[in-house]
Amino acid sequence: MKPRRALGLVKRRGLARRALIELYLAGLDGRGLLLDELSSSLGLDEATCKALVAGLVEEGLVEHRGDVFVLGQKGRESIRVVMTGGVFDILHVGHLATLEAAKGLGDVLVVVVARDETVKRLKGREPLNREEDRLKLVSALKPVDKAILGDPEDFLKVVELIGPDVIALGYDQKHDEKELRRVLAERGLRADIVRLNIHVPGVKSSKILARLLREI
Amino acid sequence: MKPRRALGLVKRRGLARRALIELYLAGLDGRGLLLDELSSSLGLDEATCKALVAGLVEEGLVEHRGDVFVLGQKGRESIRVVMTGGVFDILHVGHLATLEAAKGLGDVLVVVVARDETVKRLKGREPLNREEDRLKLVSALKPVDKAILGDPEDFLKVVELIGPDVIALGYDQKHDEKELRRVLAERGLRADIVRLNIHVPGVKSSKILARLLREI
């Protein structure tokens, strides 16, 4: 059976996009994917996956390098990567609503979780939950495709790694959008900056804690 | 193309199981699924999905009722449903590890989130986060297929609805396993009861709060 015929059977656009996303995410870890890794993450048998990838290589979206497949420049340009960040110390529905809105701005959402030392520097106290625990919990949320720890010295390092098309700022992130655009430009980075106006009354971590303290 | 041929192209067992799980989950809401609902949730085109479902109906796993498909008794018996529960007031990695372990005991994980009034009765204080917020956050976790609120008067009502093959108890759930087995049997319910021994040091909600209070 010819590749084109086999692909007709599956929702081609949706699967192709998911394949590009998987390859993008593997690229964040600096690696490509073997055919069987890709087929297992897409839930396809190897023959269907092979046909799918052959089509993507033919279109110049994916490159074959040795044993593995990697996302090509054109493939990268055909998906929209959204980046957002935060401390996520005590997870609440406000975080979730913000992450869902951020995910809605593109195809794949990468979340940068602030390092313990960054939190200490900015808030003057350690977070209640260690960075590796905050990372695990954020990674486990359905809208999040990948969560990574920030760089304690240079926050632009992760922006360079992720190469986002969109940077989504939550309502409690104090970045000045103009200033952010300027520092990005200095490093040759370009991304749309979107401020999400998700307000979920009464669920900020600090309010949850204040409520607790009133009760005790 | 004959159904059997089309199905050969996709990972049949995996997809069949996912179809049964989707039908089980719809059944919790008291409904069946239209063909296009099922194909969109499985990421398949309608022709492939139709062939898949035709096979499942032929095997007696799925029933066709009017416009919709529902899980048959034999289909229900071919998947393993795990149920667990908790308050999940301040979500932490201990909860996540427990939910992941619970999910590992079967094919589908349904989580019962305690009602506000149940928490008040058992712990003597309101939870910090309202039941609808706790429900949303638990629903958003990757290992969780479905979260539902408990019944404030009769906790066995949700057990009857879910009909679990396995009930997983977390380390801080005080149910006596023998007693639980007895009350289940009284209502004609049978499930394996598994106590999960997931200890993640220092991350119980109460410890996180105690740490906060020491700092303030």
Side-chain angles (χ1 to χ4, degrees), chain A residues 60-123:
Chain A
L61 300 166
V62 167
E63 291 167 18
H64 203 167
R65 287 202 198 141
D67 283 348
V68 297
F69 294 95
V70 297
L71 191 62
Q73 181 59 27
K74 198 176 148 193
R76 173 60 192 83
E77 285 163 7
S78 71
I79 55 170
R80 197 166 162 80
V81 174
V82 184
M83 176 188 137
T84 194
V87 178
F88 305 100
D89 194 9
I90 292 184
L91 218 54
H92 54 66
V93 284
H95 292 129
L96 179 61
T98 303
L99 293 171
E100 284 168 346
K103 176 65 174 262
L105 298 172
D107 299 303
V108 51
L109 176 62
V110 185
V111 181
V112 180
V113 173
R115 303 297 292 257
D116 289 344
E117 60 175 285
T118 306
V119 179
K120 205 172 171 181
R121 198 174 64 234
L122 297 178
K123 300 203 176 185

Short mmCIF file of all heavy atoms in Angstrom, two decimals, chain A residues 60-123:
data_model
loop_
_atom_site.label_atom_id
_atom_site.label_comp_id
_atom_site.label_asym_id
_atom_site.label_seq_id
_atom_site.Cartn_x
_atom_site.Cartn_y
_atom_site.Cartn_z
N GLY A 60 9.46 18.36 3.41
CA GLY A 60 10.53 19.19 3.97
C GLY A 60 10.25 19.68 5.38
O GLY A 60 10.88 20.61 5.86
N LEU A 61 9.30 19.04 6.08
CA LEU A 61 8.96 19.47 7.44
C LEU A 61 9.82 18.75 8.49
O LEU A 61 10.07 19.26 9.57
CB LEU A 61 7.48 19.19 7.72
CG LEU A 61 6.47 19.90 6.80
CD1 LEU A 61 5.08 19.30 6.95
CD2 LEU A 61 6.43 21.39 7.09
N VAL A 62 10.23 17.54 8.13
CA VAL A 62 11.00 16.69 9.05
C VAL A 62 12.27 16.24 8.33
O VAL A 62 12.26 16.04 7.11
CB VAL A 62 10.14 15.47 9.47
CG1 VAL A 62 10.96 14.40 10.16
CG2 VAL A 62 8.99 15.92 10.37
N GLU A 63 13.39 16.11 9.12
CA GLU A 63 14.63 15.63 8.52
C GLU A 63 15.04 14.29 9.13
O GLU A 63 14.82 14.06 10.31
CB GLU A 63 15.74 16.66 8.73
CG GLU A 63 15.52 17.93 7.93
CD GLU A 63 16.43 19.07 8.37
OE1 GLU A 63 17.45 18.81 9.05
OE2 GLU A 63 16.08 20.23 8.05
N HIS A 64 15.62 13.45 8.29
CA HIS A 64 16.10 12.15 8.72
C HIS A 64 17.59 12.29 8.99
O HIS A 64 18.34 12.64 8.10
CB HIS A 64 15.86 11.15 7.57
CG HIS A 64 15.79 9.74 8.05
ND1 HIS A 64 15.35 8.72 7.26
CD2 HIS A 64 16.12 9.17 9.23
CE1 HIS A 64 15.41 7.59 7.93
NE2 HIS A 64 15.86 7.85 9.13
N ARG A 65 18.01 12.06 10.25
CA ARG A 65 19.44 12.16 10.57
C ARG A 65 19.90 10.87 11.21
O ARG A 65 19.66 10.64 12.39
CB ARG A 65 19.69 13.32 11.55
CG ARG A 65 19.56 14.66 10.89
CD ARG A 65 20.30 15.74 11.66
NE ARG A 65 19.79 17.03 11.25
CZ ARG A 65 19.58 18.06 12.05
NH1 ARG A 65 19.87 17.96 13.33
NH2 ARG A 65 19.11 19.19 11.59
N GLY A 66 20.59 10.04 10.42
CA GLY A 66 21.02 8.74 10.93
C GLY A 66 19.79 7.90 11.25
O GLY A 66 18.93 7.71 10.40
N ASP A 67 19.70 7.45 12.53
CA ASP A 67 18.57 6.61 12.95
C ASP A 67 17.31 7.41 13.27
O ASP A 67 16.22 6.85 13.37
CB ASP A 67 18.93 5.86 14.25
CG ASP A 67 19.84 4.68 13.96
OD1 ASP A 67 19.98 4.34 12.77
OD2 ASP A 67 20.40 4.13 14.92
N VAL A 68 17.49 8.69 13.53
CA VAL A 68 16.38 9.45 14.11
C VAL A 68 15.80 10.50 13.17
O VAL A 68 16.42 10.88 12.18
CB VAL A 68 16.82 10.15 15.43
CG1 VAL A 68 17.23 9.13 16.48
CG2 VAL A 68 17.91 11.18 15.18
N PHE A 69 14.61 10.94 13.53
CA PHE A 69 13.96 12.03 12.83
C PHE A 69 14.00 13.29 13.70
O PHE A 69 13.85 13.20 14.92
CB PHE A 69 12.51 11.67 12.51
CG PHE A 69 12.40 10.54 11.53
CD1 PHE A 69 12.24 9.24 11.97
CD2 PHE A 69 12.51 10.77 10.16
CE1 PHE A 69 12.19 8.18 11.06
CE2 PHE A 69 12.46 9.73 9.25
CZ PHE A 69 12.30 8.43 9.70
N VAL A 70 14.25 14.42 13.05
CA VAL A 70 14.24 15.70 13.79
C VAL A 70 13.35 16.68 13.03
O VAL A 70 13.10 16.52 11.83
CB VAL A 70 15.67 16.30 13.96
CG1 VAL A 70 16.55 15.39 14.78
CG2 VAL A 70 16.31 16.60 12.60
N LEU A 71 12.90 17.69 13.76
CA LEU A 71 12.05 18.70 13.17
C LEU A 71 12.89 19.62 12.28
O LEU A 71 13.93 20.13 12.72
CB LEU A 71 11.41 19.52 14.30
CG LEU A 71 10.27 20.47 13.93
CD1 LEU A 71 9.11 19.70 13.37
CD2 LEU A 71 9.86 21.27 15.15
N GLY A 72 12.48 19.83 11.05
CA GLY A 72 13.19 20.77 10.17
C GLY A 72 12.70 22.19 10.42
O GLY A 72 11.70 22.40 11.11
N GLN A 73 13.42 23.16 9.85
CA GLN A 73 13.07 24.58 10.02
C GLN A 73 11.63 24.84 9.56
O GLN A 73 10.85 25.49 10.25
CB GLN A 73 14.07 25.44 9.23
CG GLN A 73 13.86 26.94 9.31
CD GLN A 73 13.94 27.46 10.75
OE1 GLN A 73 14.61 26.86 11.60
NE2 GLN A 73 13.22 28.54 11.03
N LYS A 74 11.29 24.27 8.40
CA LYS A 74 9.94 24.48 7.86
C LYS A 74 8.87 23.82 8.76
O LYS A 74 7.78 24.37 8.93
CB LYS A 74 9.88 23.87 6.44
CG LYS A 74 8.72 24.37 5.59
CD LYS A 74 8.80 23.78 4.18
CE LYS A 74 7.41 23.57 3.59
NZ LYS A 74 7.44 22.74 2.37
N GLY A 75 9.23 22.69 9.32
CA GLY A 75 8.32 22.03 10.25
C GLY A 75 8.11 22.87 11.50
O GLY A 75 6.99 23.03 11.98
N ARG A 76 9.23 23.43 12.00
CA ARG A 76 9.14 24.30 13.18
C ARG A 76 8.23 25.50 12.91
O ARG A 76 7.44 25.92 13.76
CB ARG A 76 10.54 24.76 13.59
CG ARG A 76 10.58 25.80 14.70
CD ARG A 76 9.95 25.29 15.98
NE ARG A 76 9.75 26.38 16.94
CZ ARG A 76 8.71 27.19 16.92
NH1 ARG A 76 7.76 27.03 16.01
NH2 ARG A 76 8.59 28.13 17.83
N GLU A 77 8.35 26.02 11.67
CA GLU A 77 7.53 27.21 11.34
C GLU A 77 6.05 26.86 11.16
O GLU A 77 5.21 27.76 11.18
CB GLU A 77 8.08 27.87 10.07
CG GLU A 77 9.36 28.66 10.35
CD GLU A 77 10.15 28.99 9.09
OE1 GLU A 77 9.64 28.74 7.98
OE2 GLU A 77 11.29 29.50 9.24
N SER A 78 5.75 25.58 11.03
CA SER A 78 4.35 25.23 10.81
C SER A 78 3.60 24.90 12.10
O SER A 78 2.42 24.56 12.08
CB SER A 78 4.24 24.09 9.80
OG SER A 78 4.70 22.91 10.39
N ILE A 79 4.31 24.97 13.23
CA ILE A 79 3.59 24.85 14.52
C ILE A 79 3.83 26.13 15.32
O ILE A 79 4.83 26.82 15.12
CB ILE A 79 4.02 23.63 15.36
CG1 ILE A 79 5.53 23.62 15.61
CG2 ILE A 79 3.57 22.32 14.72
CD1 ILE A 79 5.99 22.58 16.62
N ARG A 80 2.88 26.43 16.21
CA ARG A 80 2.95 27.66 16.99
C ARG A 80 3.25 27.28 18.44
O ARG A 80 2.46 26.61 19.11
CB ARG A 80 1.60 28.37 16.86
CG ARG A 80 1.60 29.82 17.25
CD ARG A 80 0.32 30.49 16.75
NE ARG A 80 0.04 31.74 17.42
CZ ARG A 80 0.62 32.90 17.11
NH1 ARG A 80 1.49 32.98 16.13
NH2 ARG A 80 0.31 34.00 17.79
N VAL A 81 4.44 27.72 18.90
CA VAL A 81 4.90 27.37 20.25
C VAL A 81 4.61 28.52 21.21
O VAL A 81 4.99 29.66 20.94
CB VAL A 81 6.42 27.07 20.23
CG1 VAL A 81 6.93 26.83 21.67
CG2 VAL A 81 6.72 25.85 19.35
N VAL A 82 3.93 28.18 22.30
CA VAL A 82 3.62 29.18 23.33
C VAL A 82 4.46 28.90 24.56
O VAL A 82 4.62 27.75 24.97
CB VAL A 82 2.12 29.13 23.73
CG1 VAL A 82 1.79 30.22 24.73
CG2 VAL A 82 1.23 29.21 22.50
N MET A 83 5.03 29.96 25.12
CA MET A 83 5.80 29.83 26.36
C MET A 83 5.14 30.67 27.44
O MET A 83 4.64 31.76 27.17
CB MET A 83 7.22 30.36 26.09
CG MET A 83 8.11 30.38 27.31
SD MET A 83 9.68 31.25 26.96
CE MET A 83 9.78 32.20 28.48
N THR A 84 5.10 30.14 28.64
CA THR A 84 4.70 30.97 29.77
C THR A 84 5.53 30.54 30.98
O THR A 84 6.32 29.59 30.89
CB THR A 84 3.18 30.89 30.05
OG1 THR A 84 2.81 31.96 30.94
CG2 THR A 84 2.74 29.57 30.64
N GLY A 85 5.39 31.24 32.09
CA GLY A 85 6.22 30.89 33.24
C GLY A 85 5.57 31.31 34.54
O GLY A 85 4.53 31.98 34.53
N GLY A 86 6.18 30.90 35.63
CA GLY A 86 5.65 31.27 36.93
C GLY A 86 6.32 30.47 38.03
O GLY A 86 7.21 29.64 37.76
N VAL A 87 5.90 30.73 39.26
CA VAL A 87 6.47 30.01 40.41
C VAL A 87 5.67 28.72 40.66
O VAL A 87 6.24 27.68 40.92
CB VAL A 87 6.45 30.92 41.67
CG1 VAL A 87 7.00 30.16 42.88
CG2 VAL A 87 7.26 32.19 41.43
N PHE A 88 4.35 28.80 40.59
CA PHE A 88 3.45 27.66 40.78
C PHE A 88 3.71 26.95 42.11
O PHE A 88 3.84 25.74 42.17
CB PHE A 88 3.59 26.64 39.63
CG PHE A 88 3.40 27.25 38.26
CD1 PHE A 88 4.48 27.58 37.47
CD2 PHE A 88 2.12 27.51 37.78
CE1 PHE A 88 4.30 28.15 36.21
CE2 PHE A 88 1.93 28.08 36.53
CZ PHE A 88 3.03 28.41 35.73
N ASP A 89 3.80 27.77 43.19
CA ASP A 89 4.16 27.18 44.48
C ASP A 89 2.98 26.40 45.07
O ASP A 89 3.13 25.25 45.46
CB ASP A 89 4.62 28.28 45.43
CG ASP A 89 5.31 27.71 46.66
OD1 ASP A 89 5.57 26.49 46.66
OD2 ASP A 89 5.60 28.47 47.60
N ILE A 90 1.83 27.06 45.14
CA ILE A 90 0.63 26.34 45.59
C ILE A 90 -0.36 26.44 44.44
O ILE A 90 -0.91 27.50 44.17
CB ILE A 90 0.07 26.96 46.88
CG1 ILE A 90 1.07 26.69 48.02
CG2 ILE A 90 -1.29 26.38 47.23
CD1 ILE A 90 0.63 27.15 49.36
N LEU A 91 -0.51 25.31 43.79
CA LEU A 91 -1.28 25.28 42.54
C LEU A 91 -2.76 25.56 42.81
O LEU A 91 -3.34 25.00 43.73
CB LEU A 91 -1.11 23.89 41.94
CG LEU A 91 -0.99 23.78 40.43
CD1 LEU A 91 0.12 24.65 39.88
CD2 LEU A 91 -0.75 22.33 40.05
N HIS A 92 -3.37 26.42 42.00
CA HIS A 92 -4.80 26.70 42.16
C HIS A 92 -5.45 26.86 40.79
O HIS A 92 -4.76 26.89 39.77
CB HIS A 92 -5.01 27.91 43.07
CG HIS A 92 -4.29 29.15 42.63
ND1 HIS A 92 -4.60 29.81 41.47
CD2 HIS A 92 -3.26 29.83 43.19
CE1 HIS A 92 -3.81 30.86 41.35
NE2 HIS A 92 -2.97 30.88 42.36
N VAL A 93 -6.78 26.99 40.79
CA VAL A 93 -7.51 27.04 39.51
C VAL A 93 -7.17 28.27 38.68
O VAL A 93 -7.36 28.26 37.47
CB VAL A 93 -9.05 26.94 39.70
CG1 VAL A 93 -9.44 25.51 40.01
CG2 VAL A 93 -9.56 27.90 40.73
N GLY A 94 -6.66 29.33 39.33
CA GLY A 94 -6.21 30.50 38.56
C GLY A 94 -5.03 30.14 37.66
O GLY A 94 -4.97 30.52 36.49
N HIS A 95 -4.07 29.36 38.22
CA HIS A 95 -2.96 28.87 37.39
C HIS A 95 -3.48 28.04 36.23
O HIS A 95 -3.06 28.19 35.09
CB HIS A 95 -2.03 27.95 38.22
CG HIS A 95 -1.26 28.64 39.28
ND1 HIS A 95 -1.26 28.19 40.58
CD2 HIS A 95 -0.46 29.72 39.26
CE1 HIS A 95 -0.47 28.97 41.32
NE2 HIS A 95 0.01 29.91 40.54
N LEU A 96 -4.40 27.13 36.56
CA LEU A 96 -4.91 26.22 35.55
C LEU A 96 -5.60 26.99 34.42
O LEU A 96 -5.35 26.74 33.23
CB LEU A 96 -5.89 25.23 36.18
CG LEU A 96 -6.53 24.23 35.23
CD1 LEU A 96 -5.48 23.34 34.58
CD2 LEU A 96 -7.57 23.38 35.96
N ALA A 97 -6.45 27.96 34.79
CA ALA A 97 -7.16 28.75 33.77
C ALA A 97 -6.16 29.51 32.90
O ALA A 97 -6.33 29.60 31.67
CB ALA A 97 -8.13 29.72 34.45
N THR A 98 -5.09 30.01 33.52
CA THR A 98 -4.07 30.75 32.76
C THR A 98 -3.34 29.81 31.81
O THR A 98 -3.10 30.15 30.64
CB THR A 98 -3.07 31.41 33.74
OG1 THR A 98 -3.81 32.26 34.63
CG2 THR A 98 -2.04 32.25 33.01
N LEU A 99 -3.00 28.62 32.28
CA LEU A 99 -2.30 27.67 31.42
C LEU A 99 -3.19 27.21 30.26
O LEU A 99 -2.72 27.05 29.13
CB LEU A 99 -1.82 26.46 32.24
CG LEU A 99 -0.72 26.79 33.27
CD1 LEU A 99 -0.45 25.60 34.18
CD2 LEU A 99 0.58 27.24 32.58
N GLU A 100 -4.48 27.01 30.54
CA GLU A 100 -5.41 26.61 29.47
C GLU A 100 -5.53 27.72 28.43
O GLU A 100 -5.55 27.46 27.23
CB GLU A 100 -6.78 26.25 30.05
CG GLU A 100 -6.76 24.86 30.71
CD GLU A 100 -7.98 24.57 31.56
OE1 GLU A 100 -8.75 25.51 31.87
OE2 GLU A 100 -8.16 23.39 31.94
N ALA A 101 -5.60 28.97 28.90
CA ALA A 101 -5.69 30.09 27.97
C ALA A 101 -4.40 30.20 27.15
O ALA A 101 -4.44 30.45 25.94
CB ALA A 101 -5.94 31.39 28.73
N ALA A 102 -3.26 29.98 27.80
CA ALA A 102 -1.97 30.05 27.10
C ALA A 102 -1.91 28.96 26.02
O ALA A 102 -1.54 29.22 24.87
CB ALA A 102 -0.81 29.89 28.09
N LYS A 103 -2.31 27.75 26.38
CA LYS A 103 -2.31 26.64 25.42
C LYS A 103 -3.19 26.97 24.22
O LYS A 103 -2.86 26.63 23.08
CB LYS A 103 -2.82 25.37 26.12
CG LYS A 103 -2.97 24.14 25.22
CD LYS A 103 -1.61 23.66 24.68
CE LYS A 103 -1.76 22.37 23.91
NZ LYS A 103 -1.44 21.19 24.70
N GLY A 104 -4.29 27.67 24.46
CA GLY A 104 -5.21 28.05 23.40
C GLY A 104 -4.61 29.01 22.38
O GLY A 104 -5.18 29.21 21.30
N LEU A 105 -3.46 29.58 22.70
CA LEU A 105 -2.82 30.54 21.77
C LEU A 105 -1.95 29.85 20.73
O LEU A 105 -1.39 30.52 19.85
CB LEU A 105 -1.97 31.54 22.55
CG LEU A 105 -2.70 32.44 23.56
CD1 LEU A 105 -1.70 33.23 24.41
CD2 LEU A 105 -3.65 33.39 22.83
N GLY A 106 -1.79 28.52 20.85
CA GLY A 106 -0.93 27.84 19.88
C GLY A 106 -1.12 26.34 19.91
O GLY A 106 -2.15 25.85 20.38
N ASP A 107 -0.11 25.62 19.39
CA ASP A 107 -0.21 24.16 19.29
C ASP A 107 0.45 23.44 20.45
O ASP A 107 0.12 22.30 20.75
CB ASP A 107 0.49 23.68 18.01
CG ASP A 107 -0.15 24.27 16.78
OD1 ASP A 107 -1.36 24.05 16.60
OD2 ASP A 107 0.55 24.95 16.00
N VAL A 108 1.44 24.10 21.06
CA VAL A 108 2.23 23.42 22.10
C VAL A 108 2.59 24.44 23.18
O VAL A 108 2.89 25.60 22.87
CB VAL A 108 3.47 22.72 21.46
CG1 VAL A 108 4.27 23.66 20.59
CG2 VAL A 108 4.38 22.10 22.50
N LEU A 109 2.47 24.00 24.42
CA LEU A 109 2.73 24.92 25.54
C LEU A 109 3.93 24.44 26.36
O LEU A 109 3.92 23.33 26.90
CB LEU A 109 1.50 25.00 26.46
CG LEU A 109 1.67 25.86 27.72
CD1 LEU A 109 1.97 27.31 27.38
CD2 LEU A 109 0.44 25.75 28.62
N VAL A 110 4.94 25.31 26.45
CA VAL A 110 6.11 25.03 27.29
C VAL A 110 6.08 26.01 28.46
O VAL A 110 5.94 27.22 28.26
CB VAL A 110 7.43 25.19 26.50
CG1 VAL A 110 8.61 24.79 27.37
CG2 VAL A 110 7.39 24.37 25.22
N VAL A 111 6.17 25.46 29.66
CA VAL A 111 6.08 26.30 30.87
C VAL A 111 7.42 26.34 31.57
O VAL A 111 8.03 25.30 31.83
CB VAL A 111 5.00 25.75 31.83
CG1 VAL A 111 4.89 26.62 33.07
CG2 VAL A 111 3.65 25.66 31.12
N VAL A 112 7.87 27.54 31.89
CA VAL A 112 9.12 27.72 32.61
C VAL A 112 8.79 27.90 34.09
O VAL A 112 8.04 28.80 34.46
CB VAL A 112 9.90 28.94 32.09
CG1 VAL A 112 11.21 29.10 32.86
CG2 VAL A 112 10.17 28.79 30.59
N VAL A 113 9.33 27.02 34.91
CA VAL A 113 9.09 27.06 36.35
C VAL A 113 10.28 27.74 37.02
O VAL A 113 11.44 27.36 36.79
CB VAL A 113 8.90 25.61 36.88
CG1 VAL A 113 8.81 25.59 38.40
CG2 VAL A 113 7.65 24.98 36.25
N ALA A 114 9.99 28.76 37.81
CA ALA A 114 11.06 29.56 38.44
C ALA A 114 11.90 28.72 39.40
O ALA A 114 11.36 27.90 40.17
CB ALA A 114 10.45 30.75 39.17
N ARG A 115 13.21 28.93 39.38
CA ARG A 115 14.12 28.24 40.28
C ARG A 115 13.93 28.73 41.71
O ARG A 115 13.53 29.89 41.93
CB ARG A 115 15.58 28.51 39.87
CG ARG A 115 15.91 28.14 38.44
CD ARG A 115 15.76 26.67 38.20
NE ARG A 115 16.75 25.88 38.89
CZ ARG A 115 17.81 25.34 38.29
NH1 ARG A 115 18.01 25.50 37.00
NH2 ARG A 115 18.67 24.63 38.99
N ASP A 116 14.26 27.88 42.68
CA ASP A 116 14.15 28.28 44.09
C ASP A 116 14.92 29.57 44.38
O ASP A 116 14.42 30.47 45.05
CB ASP A 116 14.69 27.17 45.00
CG ASP A 116 13.76 25.95 45.04
OD1 ASP A 116 12.60 26.09 44.61
OD2 ASP A 116 14.22 24.87 45.47
N GLU A 117 16.15 29.65 43.84
CA GLU A 117 16.96 30.83 44.16
C GLU A 117 16.41 32.10 43.51
O GLU A 117 16.56 33.18 44.06
CB GLU A 117 18.44 30.61 43.82
CG GLU A 117 18.74 30.30 42.39
CD GLU A 117 20.27 30.21 42.15
OE1 GLU A 117 20.95 31.25 42.11
OE2 GLU A 117 20.73 29.07 42.01
N THR A 118 15.73 31.94 42.37
CA THR A 118 15.10 33.10 41.74
C THR A 118 13.93 33.60 42.59
O THR A 118 13.76 34.80 42.81
CB THR A 118 14.60 32.73 40.33
OG1 THR A 118 15.68 32.17 39.59
CG2 THR A 118 14.06 33.94 39.58
N VAL A 119 13.13 32.63 43.10
CA VAL A 119 11.99 33.00 43.96
C VAL A 119 12.50 33.72 45.20
O VAL A 119 11.96 34.75 45.60
CB VAL A 119 11.19 31.74 44.37
CG1 VAL A 119 10.02 32.11 45.27
CG2 VAL A 119 10.69 30.99 43.14
N LYS A 120 13.55 33.18 45.78
CA LYS A 120 14.12 33.77 47.00
C LYS A 120 14.57 35.21 46.74
O LYS A 120 14.33 36.11 47.54
CB LYS A 120 15.31 32.92 47.47
CG LYS A 120 15.57 33.04 48.93
CD LYS A 120 16.61 32.06 49.41
CE LYS A 120 17.00 32.40 50.85
NZ LYS A 120 18.01 31.49 51.36
N ARG A 121 15.21 35.39 45.60
CA ARG A 121 15.72 36.73 45.26
C ARG A 121 14.55 37.70 45.05
O ARG A 121 14.58 38.82 45.54
CB ARG A 121 16.57 36.62 43.99
CG ARG A 121 17.49 37.81 43.79
CD ARG A 121 18.42 37.60 42.60
NE ARG A 121 17.69 37.51 41.36
CZ ARG A 121 17.79 36.50 40.48
NH1 ARG A 121 18.61 35.50 40.72
NH2 ARG A 121 17.09 36.50 39.37
N LEU A 122 13.50 37.23 44.34
CA LEU A 122 12.42 38.15 43.99
C LEU A 122 11.41 38.34 45.11
O LEU A 122 10.86 39.43 45.28
CB LEU A 122 11.70 37.68 42.72
CG LEU A 122 12.55 37.63 41.44
CD1 LEU A 122 11.72 37.10 40.28
CD2 LEU A 122 13.09 39.02 41.10
N LYS A 123 11.12 37.27 45.87
CA LYS A 123 10.07 37.37 46.89
C LYS A 123 10.63 37.46 48.31
O LYS A 123 9.88 37.60 49.27
CB LYS A 123 9.12 36.15 46.82
CG LYS A 123 8.42 35.99 45.47
CD LYS A 123 7.14 35.17 45.61
CE LYS A 123 6.41 35.12 44.28
NZ LYS A 123 5.11 34.44 44.37
#
